Amino acid sequence: MNESRYWQGEVRPAGVRAAAAPVTAPSPTTGRAPRPAATLRRDQADDAAGFRSLDLAYDSRRNNFGFLRFFLATMVIWSHSYALSGRPADPVWALSGQIDGGSVAVDGFFVLSGFLVTQSWMQQPALRAFAIKRLLRIVPALVVATMFGAFLIAPLAATVPVADYFRSAEPWLHFVGVPLNRYLFIPSAFPDNPYPHLLNSPLWSLRYELFCYALLGVLGALCGRQLGRASIALFVVSWLAYLCVPRSVSPLSILSQTPRLVACFSVGMILFAYRRQIALTPRWALAAGFAVTVTLIFGGLRSTLPWAGGYLLIYFVCLNGLRLENFARHGDFSYGLYIFACPIQQLLIHRLGTQLPVAVFFVLAYLPTLVLAVLSWHLIEAPTLRLKKTVAGRR
């Protein structure tokens, strides 16, 4: 495939040059890369006609992604504070009767991931570099979180002597819990918790995340400049498959989770791939919000959440005037929050019982988790991410 003919617009692989065209100076306020004059004239004409594209609204350097990811990770911990302490489902489930707050947050993560990872692929459409960058983002901190749970937290709540625990297969099998989704439980730990033996439940979603990365890489390599159309086909197939899952199938099963999360991820892919054609306006945001609200009240929320909720998320990402674009200037702590919280929550329940008010339990778990997330970012995630340009090649 001739990659010089592959990409259109200013998002190009390193080393792939566009045909010469006059460009405008970069904006001193947004920091946007220079745009060809023809592109600028077209954007100005669209804006004058009342059409503001996602491409025009989205600034890859100044946006609300950092805040939104942090908020979604916090929402997962908050939602789990109800379930892990043996209380009825969180207020999101109480309101909707269809989905809990943690599941909403995970769906949101997959939409954002589809958007950002598609951007990454378009900047460097090479499978080897793409795979290395994705693994550098996921694996190092995951290994540390797995060690933290299996070697530090679980022994503190084990019903067998520590020496016997480490001689058993339990802590070692936990390392294959992500791909197999079978060993996120430690049989000898937390026997009296409302969720007995559970060590780190949020890790269940990471195998689906890796699966979506693989799908994007394969589709990008096979479909080339037709990646946008492929992402639409992927969404239609996965969304319809999810709607066709029988009610008798557990929503936690692979038959239900796979199409649901692939649908959310593919929405993010579509939004980035068609960012020039998609309007990002308050009118469409209101329409998406109306769809979510109606299905929240009358049922069918899971059918609208991927596309309507996904649009709302990206609309919020691009919303100006919130002064949230510098929220993550000290680091992106969302991944650390997501992968370190559950073992701490389980240990607190094991030691303190289930009588703590939910708010107190949430704060007691959240503060040490945040400390670990900060340390994870500065000591593990950021240093390994700096290797991307060296190992995967220049973006």
Side-chain angles (χ1 to χ4, degrees):
M1 178 178 59
N2 182 359
E3 291 182 352
S4 65
R5 295 169 50 241
Y6 187 160
W7 306 108
Q8 299 178 359
E10 68 272 15
V11 178
R12 299 176 181 276
V16 177
R17 301 182 63 184
V23 296
T24 57
S27 166
T29 56
T30 66
R32 280 184 177 271
R35 286 174 173 265
T39 301
L40 182 61
R41 287 194 297 270
R42 184 196 65 208
D43 290 340
Q44 290 171 338
D46 287 343
D47 208 21
F51 178 87
R52 182 171 178 82
S53 69
L54 170 56
D55 182 60
L56 190 62
Y58 174 60
D59 186 333
S60 62
R61 298 181 182 180
R62 296 177 59 84
N63 55 63
N64 302 321
F65 265 118
F67 171 82
L68 196 50
R69 284 191 297 240
F70 189 91
F71 174 80
L72 292 176
T74 300
M75 189 173 178
V76 170
I77 301 173
W78 168 78
S79 177
H80 287 178
S81 296
Y82 287 84
L84 295 178
S85 62
R87 288 172 169 81
D90 66 37
V92 176
W93 178 272
L95 177 64
S96 69
Q98 304 171 70
I99 192 171
D100 61 90
S103 297
V104 171
V106 169
D107 287 1
F109 270 126
F110 272 75
V111 172
L112 299 183
S113 181
F115 188 93
L116 290 171
V117 175
T118 302
Q119 174 180 280
S120 177
W121 171 265
M122 287 189 170
Q123 289 173 334
Q124 190 179 11
L127 274 176
R128 177 183 175 275
F130 179 76
I132 290 173
K133 287 191 289 186
R134 302 284 67 78
L135 292 175
L136 284 175
R137 184 65 186 101
I138 294 291
V139 173
L142 173 61
V143 170
V144 174
T146 304
M147 294 173 62
F148 170 75
F151 296 155
L152 181 60
I153 298 297
L156 297 176
T159 57
V160 297
V162 173
D164 292 343
Y165 170 78
F166 281 108
R167 279 195 295 265
S168 72
E170 292 180 10
W172 313 103
L173 287 175
H174 186 57
F175 285 86
V176 294
V178 170
L180 299 181
N181 208 33
R182 292 180 56 193
Y183 303 108
L184 301 180
F185 292 77
I186 299 290
S188 64
F190 312 115
D192 300 319
N193 284 29
Y195 277 81
H197 316 303
L198 177 63
L199 181 58
N200 203 340
S201 63
L203 301 188
W204 71 265
S205 69
L206 296 184
R207 66 170 177 169
Y208 296 98
E209 182 85 5
L210 293 170
F211 176 67
C212 288
Y213 293 166
L215 275 178
L216 173 55
V218 171
L219 289 176
L222 294 178
C223 300
R225 63 185 300 171
Q226 303 301 321
L227 179 61
R229 294 181 180 179
S231 65
I232 292 176
L234 181 63
F235 169 71
V236 171
V237 170
S238 58
W239 186 62
L240 291 178
Y242 179 56
L243 296 182
C244 292
V245 173
R247 291 184 178 273
S248 58
V249 174
S250 168
L252 301 179
S253 73
I254 192 171
L255 292 177
S256 179
Q257 299 282 29
T258 302
R260 164 197 156 200
L261 296 176
V262 170
C264 292
F265 189 88
S266 59
V267 165
M269 292 174 61
I270 292 168
L271 288 168
F272 188 82
Y274 288 98
R275 63 197 182 281
R276 292 195 184 282
Q277 292 79 26
I278 294 174
L280 203 71
T281 64
R283 180 182 301 176
W284 284 111
L286 285 173
F290 179 77
V292 170
T293 302
V294 169
T295 53
L296 176 71
I297 297 172
F298 297 104
L301 179 63
R302 284 186 178 270
S303 66
T304 61
L305 208 53
W307 53 272
Y311 183 91
L312 288 173
L313 283 176
I314 299 303
Y315 181 83
F316 180 86
V317 163
C318 300
L319 202 58
N320 294 322
L322 299 180
R323 298 184 179 181
L324 296 174
E325 59 270 10
N326 294 321
F327 183 85
R329 64 186 180 277
H330 297 301
D332 179 5
F333 309 136
S334 58
Y335 186 45
L337 287 173
Y338 189 77
I339 62 177
F340 283 103
C342 188
I344 294 175
Q345 290 178 297
Q346 282 287 77
L347 183 62
L348 285 172
I349 292 296
H350 175 75
R351 295 291 187 181
L352 303 178
T354 60
Q355 302 307 311
L356 287 174
V358 172
V360 174
F361 174 47
F362 169 75
V363 171
L364 288 177
Y366 190 79
L367 292 179
T369 302
L370 181 58
V371 171
L372 288 176
V374 172
L375 292 174
S376 174
W377 173 258
H378 289 291
L379 300 180
I380 304 166
E381 297 168 62
T384 54
L385 287 176
R386 285 194 289 269
L387 295 175
K388 287 199 301 184
K389 290 183 180 180
T390 302
V391 180
R394 185 181 175 188
R395 290 184 64 174

Coordinates of all heavy atoms in Angstrom, one line a residue, residues 137-199:
R137 N 1.9 1.3 27.1 CA 0.9 2.0 27.9 C 0.2 1.1 28.9 O -0.1 1.5 30.0 CB -0.2 2.6 27.0 CG -1.2 3.5 27.7 CD -0.5 4.7 28.3 NE -1.4 5.5 29.2 CZ -1.4 5.4 30.5 NH1 -0.6 4.6 31.2 NH2 -2.1 6.2 31.2
I138 N -0.1 -0.2 28.6 CA -0.9 -1.0 29.4 C -0.1 -1.9 30.4 O -0.4 -2.0 31.6 CB -1.8 -1.9 28.5 CG1 -2.8 -1.1 27.7 CG2 -2.5 -3.0 29.4 CD1 -3.9 -0.5 28.6
V139 N 1.0 -2.5 29.9 CA 1.6 -3.6 30.6 C 2.4 -3.2 31.8 O 2.3 -3.9 32.9 CB 2.4 -4.5 29.6 CG1 3.2 -5.6 30.4 CG2 1.5 -5.1 28.6
P140 N 3.3 -2.3 31.7 CA 4.2 -2.0 32.9 C 3.5 -1.8 34.2 O 3.7 -2.4 35.2 CB 5.1 -0.8 32.5 CG 5.1 -0.9 31.0 CD 3.7 -1.4 30.6
A141 N 2.5 -0.8 34.2 CA 1.8 -0.5 35.4 C 0.9 -1.7 35.8 O 0.7 -1.9 37.0 CB 0.9 0.7 35.2
L142 N 0.4 -2.4 34.8 CA -0.4 -3.6 35.1 C 0.3 -4.7 35.9 O -0.2 -5.3 36.8 CB -1.0 -4.2 33.8 CG -1.8 -5.5 33.9 CD1 -3.0 -5.3 34.8 CD2 -2.2 -6.0 32.6
V143 N 1.6 -4.9 35.5 CA 2.4 -5.9 36.2 C 2.6 -5.4 37.6 O 2.5 -6.3 38.5 CB 3.8 -6.0 35.4 CG1 4.7 -6.8 36.3 CG2 3.6 -6.7 34.1
V144 N 2.9 -4.2 37.8 CA 3.1 -3.7 39.2 C 1.8 -3.8 40.0 O 1.9 -4.2 41.2 CB 3.6 -2.2 39.1 CG1 3.7 -1.6 40.6 CG2 5.0 -2.1 38.5
A145 N 0.7 -3.4 39.4 CA -0.6 -3.6 40.1 C -0.9 -5.0 40.5 O -1.4 -5.3 41.6 CB -1.7 -3.0 39.3
T146 N -0.6 -5.9 39.6 CA -0.8 -7.3 39.8 C 0.1 -7.8 41.0 O -0.3 -8.6 41.9 CB -0.5 -8.2 38.6 OG1 -1.3 -7.7 37.5 CG2 -0.9 -9.6 38.8
M147 N 1.4 -7.4 41.0 CA 2.3 -7.7 42.1 C 1.8 -7.1 43.4 O 1.8 -7.8 44.4 CB 3.7 -7.2 41.8 CG 4.3 -7.9 40.6 SD 5.9 -7.1 40.1 CE 6.9 -7.4 41.6
F148 N 1.3 -5.9 43.3 CA 0.8 -5.2 44.5 C -0.4 -6.0 45.1 O -0.4 -6.2 46.4 CB 0.3 -3.8 44.1 CG -0.5 -3.1 45.2 CD1 0.2 -2.6 46.3 CD2 -1.8 -2.9 45.1 CE1 -0.5 -1.9 47.3 CE2 -2.5 -2.3 46.1 CZ -1.9 -1.7 47.2
G149 N -1.3 -6.5 44.3 CA -2.4 -7.2 44.8 C -2.1 -8.6 45.3 O -2.4 -9.0 46.4
A150 N -1.3 -9.3 44.5 CA -1.0 -10.8 44.8 C 0.0 -10.9 45.9 O -0.1 -11.9 46.7 CB -0.6 -11.5 43.5
F151 N 1.0 -10.0 45.9 CA 2.1 -10.2 46.8 C 2.1 -9.4 48.1 O 2.8 -9.6 49.1 CB 3.4 -9.9 46.1 CG 3.7 -10.9 45.0 CD1 4.5 -10.5 44.0 CD2 3.2 -12.1 45.0 CE1 4.8 -11.4 42.9 CE2 3.5 -13.0 44.0 CZ 4.3 -12.6 42.9
L152 N 1.2 -8.3 48.1 CA 1.2 -7.4 49.3 C -0.2 -7.5 49.9 O -0.3 -7.7 51.1 CB 1.5 -6.0 48.9 CG 1.5 -5.0 50.0 CD1 2.5 -5.4 51.1 CD2 1.8 -3.6 49.5
I153 N -1.3 -7.2 49.1 CA -2.6 -7.1 49.7 C -3.2 -8.5 50.1 O -3.6 -8.7 51.2 CB -3.6 -6.4 48.8 CG1 -3.1 -5.0 48.5 CG2 -5.0 -6.4 49.3 CD1 -3.0 -4.1 49.8
A154 N -3.2 -9.4 49.2 CA -3.8 -10.7 49.4 C -3.2 -11.5 50.6 O -4.0 -12.0 51.4 CB -3.7 -11.6 48.2
P155 N -1.9 -11.5 50.8 CA -1.4 -12.1 52.0 C -1.9 -11.5 53.4 O -2.0 -12.3 54.4 CB 0.2 -11.9 51.9 CG 0.4 -11.8 50.5 CD -0.8 -11.0 50.0
L156 N -2.2 -10.3 53.3 CA -2.8 -9.6 54.5 C -4.2 -10.1 54.9 O -4.7 -9.9 56.0 CB -2.7 -8.1 54.4 CG -1.4 -7.4 54.2 CD1 -1.5 -5.9 54.0 CD2 -0.5 -7.7 55.4
A157 N -4.8 -10.7 53.9 CA -6.2 -11.2 54.1 C -6.4 -12.7 53.9 O -7.5 -13.1 53.7 CB -7.2 -10.4 53.2
A158 N -5.3 -13.4 53.8 CA -5.3 -14.8 53.5 C -5.7 -15.6 54.8 O -5.3 -15.2 55.9 CB -4.0 -15.3 53.0
T159 N -6.3 -16.7 54.5 CA -6.7 -17.6 55.7 C -5.7 -18.7 55.9 O -5.9 -19.5 56.8 CB -8.1 -18.3 55.3 OG1 -8.0 -19.0 54.1 CG2 -9.2 -17.2 55.2
V160 N -4.6 -18.7 55.2 CA -3.6 -19.7 55.3 C -2.3 -19.0 55.7 O -2.2 -17.7 55.5 CB -3.3 -20.5 54.0 CG1 -4.6 -21.3 53.6 CG2 -2.9 -19.6 52.9
P161 N -1.3 -19.6 56.3 CA -0.1 -19.0 56.6 C 0.6 -18.4 55.4 O 0.4 -18.9 54.3 CB 0.8 -20.1 57.2 CG -0.2 -21.1 57.7 CD -1.4 -21.0 56.8
V162 N 1.3 -17.3 55.6 CA 1.9 -16.6 54.5 C 2.8 -17.5 53.7 O 2.8 -17.4 52.4 CB 2.6 -15.3 55.0 CG1 3.4 -14.6 53.8 CG2 1.6 -14.3 55.6
A163 N 3.6 -18.3 54.3 CA 4.5 -19.2 53.6 C 3.8 -20.1 52.7 O 4.1 -20.4 51.6 CB 5.4 -19.9 54.6
D164 N 2.6 -20.7 53.2 CA 1.8 -21.6 52.4 C 1.2 -20.8 51.3 O 1.0 -21.4 50.2 CB 0.7 -22.2 53.3 CG 1.3 -23.2 54.3 OD1 2.5 -23.6 54.2 OD2 0.6 -23.5 55.3
Y165 N 0.8 -19.6 51.5 CA 0.2 -18.8 50.4 C 1.2 -18.7 49.3 O 0.8 -18.9 48.1 CB -0.2 -17.5 51.0 CG -0.7 -16.5 49.9 CD1 -1.9 -16.6 49.3 CD2 0.2 -15.5 49.5 CE1 -2.3 -15.7 48.3 CE2 -0.2 -14.6 48.5 CZ -1.4 -14.7 47.9 OH -1.8 -13.8 46.9
F166 N 2.4 -18.3 49.6 CA 3.4 -18.1 48.5 C 3.8 -19.4 47.8 O 4.3 -19.4 46.7 CB 4.6 -17.3 49.0 CG 4.3 -15.8 49.1 CD1 4.1 -15.2 50.4 CD2 4.1 -15.0 48.0 CE1 3.9 -13.9 50.5 CE2 3.9 -13.7 48.1 CZ 3.7 -13.1 49.4
R167 N 3.7 -20.5 48.6 CA 4.1 -21.8 48.0 C 2.9 -22.3 47.1 O 3.2 -23.2 46.2 CB 4.4 -22.8 49.0 CG 5.8 -22.7 49.6 CD 6.2 -23.9 50.4 NE 5.3 -24.1 51.6 CZ 5.7 -23.7 52.8 NH1 6.9 -23.1 53.0 NH2 4.9 -23.9 53.8
S168 N 1.8 -21.8 47.2 CA 0.6 -22.2 46.4 C 0.7 -21.5 45.0 O 1.5 -20.7 44.8 CB -0.7 -21.9 47.1 OG -0.9 -20.5 47.0
A169 N -0.2 -22.0 44.2 CA -0.3 -21.4 42.8 C -1.1 -20.1 42.8 O -1.1 -19.4 41.8 CB -0.9 -22.4 41.8
E170 N -1.8 -19.8 43.8 CA -2.7 -18.7 43.8 C -2.1 -17.3 43.4 O -2.6 -16.7 42.4 CB -3.4 -18.5 45.2 CG -4.3 -19.7 45.5 CD -5.0 -19.5 46.9 OE1 -4.9 -18.4 47.5 OE2 -5.6 -20.4 47.4
P171 N -1.1 -16.9 44.0 CA -0.5 -15.5 43.6 C 0.0 -15.5 42.2 O 0.0 -14.5 41.5 CB 0.6 -15.2 44.7 CG 1.0 -16.6 45.2 CD -0.3 -17.4 45.1
W172 N 0.5 -16.7 41.8 CA 1.2 -16.7 40.5 C 0.1 -16.8 39.3 O 0.3 -16.2 38.3 CB 2.1 -17.9 40.4 CG 3.0 -17.9 41.6 CD1 2.9 -18.8 42.7 CD2 4.1 -17.1 41.9 NE1 3.8 -18.5 43.6 CE2 4.6 -17.4 43.2 CE3 4.7 -16.0 41.2 CZ2 5.7 -16.8 43.8 CZ3 5.8 -15.4 41.8 CH2 6.3 -15.8 43.0
L173 N -1.0 -17.5 39.6 CA -2.0 -17.6 38.6 C -2.7 -16.2 38.4 O -3.3 -16.0 37.3 CB -3.1 -18.6 39.1 CG -2.7 -20.1 38.9 CD1 -3.8 -21.0 39.5 CD2 -2.4 -20.4 37.5
H174 N -2.6 -15.3 39.4 CA -3.2 -14.0 39.3 C -2.6 -13.2 38.1 O -3.3 -12.4 37.5 CB -3.0 -13.2 40.6 CG -3.8 -11.9 40.6 ND1 -5.1 -11.8 40.4 CD2 -3.3 -10.6 40.8 CE1 -5.5 -10.5 40.5 NE2 -4.4 -9.8 40.7
F175 N -1.4 -13.6 37.7 CA -0.7 -12.9 36.6 C -1.4 -13.2 35.3 O -1.2 -12.4 34.3 CB 0.8 -13.2 36.6 CG 1.5 -12.4 37.7 CD1 1.6 -13.0 39.0 CD2 2.1 -11.2 37.4 CE1 2.3 -12.3 40.0 CE2 2.8 -10.5 38.4 CZ 2.9 -11.1 39.7
V176 N -2.1 -14.3 35.2 CA -2.8 -14.6 33.9 C -4.2 -14.3 34.0 O -5.0 -14.7 33.2 CB -2.5 -16.1 33.5 CG1 -1.1 -16.3 33.2 CG2 -3.0 -17.0 34.6
G177 N -4.6 -13.6 35.0 CA -6.0 -13.2 35.2 C -6.6 -12.3 34.1 O -7.7 -12.4 33.8
V178 N -5.7 -11.4 33.6 CA -6.2 -10.5 32.6 C -6.6 -11.3 31.3 O -7.7 -11.1 30.8 CB -5.2 -9.4 32.3 CG1 -5.6 -8.6 31.1 CG2 -5.1 -8.5 33.5
P179 N -5.7 -12.1 30.7 CA -6.1 -12.7 29.5 C -7.2 -13.8 29.6 O -8.0 -14.0 28.8 CB -4.8 -13.3 28.9 CG -3.9 -13.4 30.1 CD -4.3 -12.3 31.0
L180 N -7.1 -14.5 30.8 CA -8.1 -15.6 31.0 C -9.3 -15.2 31.8 O -10.3 -15.9 31.7 CB -7.4 -16.7 31.7 CG -6.2 -17.4 31.0 CD1 -5.6 -18.5 31.8 CD2 -6.6 -17.8 29.6
N181 N -9.2 -14.1 32.5 CA -10.4 -13.6 33.3 C -10.9 -14.7 34.3 O -12.0 -14.7 34.7 CB -11.5 -13.2 32.4 CG -12.4 -12.1 33.0 OD1 -11.8 -11.2 33.8 ND2 -13.6 -12.1 32.8
R182 N -10.0 -15.5 34.7 CA -10.4 -16.6 35.7 C -9.7 -16.5 37.0 O -10.1 -17.1 38.0 CB -10.0 -18.0 35.1 CG -10.8 -18.4 33.9 CD -10.4 -19.7 33.4 NE -10.5 -20.7 34.4 CZ -10.0 -21.9 34.3 NH1 -9.3 -22.3 33.2 NH2 -10.1 -22.8 35.3
Y183 N -8.6 -15.7 37.1 CA -7.8 -15.7 38.3 C -7.7 -14.3 38.9 O -6.7 -14.0 39.5 CB -6.4 -16.3 38.0 CG -6.4 -17.7 37.4 CD1 -6.1 -17.9 36.1 CD2 -6.8 -18.7 38.2 CE1 -6.2 -19.1 35.5 CE2 -6.8 -20.0 37.6 CZ -6.5 -20.2 36.3 OH -6.6 -21.5 35.8
L184 N -8.8 -13.6 38.8 CA -8.9 -12.3 39.4 C -9.3 -12.5 40.9 O -9.4 -11.5 41.7 CB -9.9 -11.4 38.7 CG -9.5 -11.1 37.2 CD1 -10.5 -10.2 36.6 CD2 -8.1 -10.5 37.1
F185 N -9.6 -13.7 41.2 CA -10.0 -14.1 42.6 C -8.8 -14.9 43.2 O -8.1 -15.6 42.6 CB -11.2 -15.0 42.6 CG -12.5 -14.3 42.2 CD1 -12.7 -14.1 40.9 CD2 -13.4 -13.9 43.1 CE1 -13.9 -13.4 40.5 CE2 -14.6 -13.3 42.7 CZ -14.8 -13.0 41.4
I186 N -8.6 -14.7 44.5 CA -7.7 -15.5 45.3 C -8.4 -16.3 46.3 O -9.0 -15.8 47.2 CB -6.7 -14.5 46.1 CG1 -5.9 -13.7 45.1 CG2 -5.7 -15.4 46.9 CD1 -4.9 -14.4 44.2
P187 N -8.5 -17.6 46.1 CA -9.4 -18.5 46.9 C -9.2 -18.4 48.4 O -10.1 -18.6 49.2 CB -9.1 -19.9 46.4 CG -8.6 -19.7 45.0 CD -7.9 -18.4 45.0
S188 N -8.0 -18.1 48.9 CA -7.7 -18.1 50.3 C -7.8 -16.7 50.9 O -7.6 -16.5 52.1 CB -6.3 -18.6 50.6 OG -5.3 -17.8 50.0
A189 N -8.2 -15.7 50.1 CA -8.2 -14.3 50.6 C -9.7 -13.8 50.7 O -10.6 -14.2 50.0 CB -7.4 -13.4 49.7
F190 N -9.9 -12.9 51.6 CA -11.2 -12.2 51.8 C -12.4 -13.1 51.9 O -13.4 -13.0 51.2 CB -11.4 -11.2 50.7 CG -10.3 -10.3 50.3 CD1 -9.6 -10.4 49.1 CD2 -9.8 -9.4 51.3 CE1 -8.6 -9.6 48.8 CE2 -8.7 -8.5 51.0 CZ -8.1 -8.6 49.7
P191 N -12.3 -14.1 52.8 CA -13.4 -15.1 52.8 C -14.7 -14.6 53.3 O -15.8 -15.1 52.9 CB -12.8 -16.2 53.7 CG -11.9 -15.5 54.6 CD -11.3 -14.4 53.8
D192 N -14.7 -13.5 54.1 CA -16.0 -13.0 54.6 C -16.4 -11.7 54.0 O -17.4 -11.2 54.5 CB -15.8 -12.8 56.2 CG -15.4 -14.1 56.9 OD1 -16.0 -15.2 56.5 OD2 -14.5 -14.1 57.8
N193 N -15.8 -11.3 53.0 CA -16.2 -10.1 52.3 C -17.5 -10.3 51.5 O -17.8 -11.5 51.1 CB -15.1 -9.6 51.3 CG -14.0 -8.9 52.0 OD1 -13.7 -9.2 53.2 ND2 -13.4 -7.9 51.4
P194 N -18.3 -9.3 51.3 CA -19.5 -9.5 50.4 C -19.2 -10.1 49.1 O -20.0 -10.9 48.5 CB -20.1 -8.1 50.3 CG -19.6 -7.4 51.6 CD -18.3 -7.9 51.8
Y195 N -18.0 -9.8 48.5 CA -17.5 -10.4 47.3 C -16.3 -11.2 47.7 O -15.2 -10.8 47.6 CB -17.2 -9.4 46.2 CG -18.3 -9.0 45.4 CD1 -19.2 -8.0 45.9 CD2 -18.6 -9.5 44.2 CE1 -20.3 -7.6 45.2 CE2 -19.7 -9.1 43.4 CZ -20.5 -8.1 44.0 OH -21.6 -7.7 43.2
P196 N -16.5 -12.4 48.3 CA -15.4 -13.2 48.8 C -14.4 -13.6 47.7 O -14.7 -13.9 46.6 CB -16.1 -14.5 49.4 CG -17.4 -14.6 48.7 CD -17.8 -13.2 48.4
H197 N -13.1 -13.5 48.1 CA -12.0 -14.0 47.3 C -11.6 -13.1 46.2 O -10.6 -13.3 45.5 CB -12.2 -15.4 46.8 CG -12.8 -16.3 47.8 ND1 -12.1 -16.6 49.0 CD2 -13.9 -17.1 47.8 CE1 -12.9 -17.5 49.7 NE2 -13.9 -17.8 49.0
L198 N -12.4 -12.0 45.9 CA -12.2 -11.1 44.8 C -11.0 -10.2 45.1 O -10.9 -9.6 46.2 CB -13.4 -10.3 44.5 CG -13.2 -9.2 43.4 CD1 -13.0 -9.9 42.1 CD2 -14.5 -8.3 43.3
L199 N -10.0 -10.1 44.2 CA -8.8 -9.3 44.5 C -8.8 -8.0 43.6 O -8.6 -7.0 44.2 CB -7.6 -10.1 44.2 CG -6.3 -9.4 44.4 CD1 -6.2 -8.9 45.9 CD2 -5.1 -10.3 44.1

